Structure formats: C-alpha cells, structure tokens
C-alpha cells in the first residue's frame, strides 16, 4: 500500500482541510489506520504548539549544564590511546 508522505501529513495537520493536497489523501486516510494515526499525532503537536503560553516554556538550564555537556563531548572525542580522531 502506498502511504501519504509525512511532509504532506504535516501540511494537513497545520492547514487542516484547506491544505491543497491530492484528492486520494482523504480516501486513504479513511482506509489506512497507520496514516490516520500519524496525522492525529501531528495534529496533537500542532494543537499543543498553538495553545502554548509563555509559562509552558521551560527555563533554560544554568551554564554549568552546558559546561558538563561540552566536557563530556570532549572526553568522548579522545580515543583510548589519548589521541583525537
């Protein structure tokens, strides 16, 4: 079965029924549970994004978190023999 491209499902989630997509999409969505689930998932994300408020945005972590992340990356970049790739 040929499925609807994820990008087209995202457009439909963002633009609703006003999205100019091929007519076969509507019929396919009625008959394909996988594509219908993917579209429903995208619609939940769109709804969450459109209803988010400033209080919903997490505060950035303190600089020490980023320092630790960078240190970990640098540690991973050093090979077992102490050389960098």
């Amino acid at each position: 079965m040929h499925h609807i491209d994820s990008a087209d499902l995202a457009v439909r989630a963002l633009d609703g029924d006003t999205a100019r997509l091929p007519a076969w999409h509507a019929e396919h969505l009625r008959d394909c549970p996988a594509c219908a689930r993917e579209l429903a998932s995208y619609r939940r994300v769109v709804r969450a994004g459109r209803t988010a408020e400033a209080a919903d945005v997490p505060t950035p972590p303190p600089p020490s978190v980023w320092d630790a992340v960078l240190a970990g990356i640098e540690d991973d970049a050093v090979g077992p023999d102490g050389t960098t790739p």
Side-chain angles (χ1 to χ4, degrees):
M1 174 187 289
H2 179 73
H3 292 285
I4 301 172
D5 185 75
S6 293
D8 288 337
L9 290 171
V11 167
R12 186 169 291 273
L14 287 165
D15 297 343
D17 293 331
T18 63
R20 297 200 173 205
L21 298 170
W24 68 268
H25 282 197
E27 182 177 326
H28 182 81
L29 285 168
R30 283 191 299 272
D31 298 334
C32 179
C35 287
R37 276 191 308 274
E38 186 174 352
L39 176 59
S41 175
Y42 290 153
R43 284 181 170 159
R44 285 191 300 275
V45 171
V46 168
R47 188 171 38 255
R50 288 182 175 160
T51 59
E53 297 178 6
D56 297 326
V57 178
T59 57
S64 61
V65 171
W66 294 117
D67 294 340
V69 169
L70 290 174
I73 292 170
E74 290 168 357
D75 289 344
D76 289 345
V78 177
D81 60 358
T83 61
T84 56

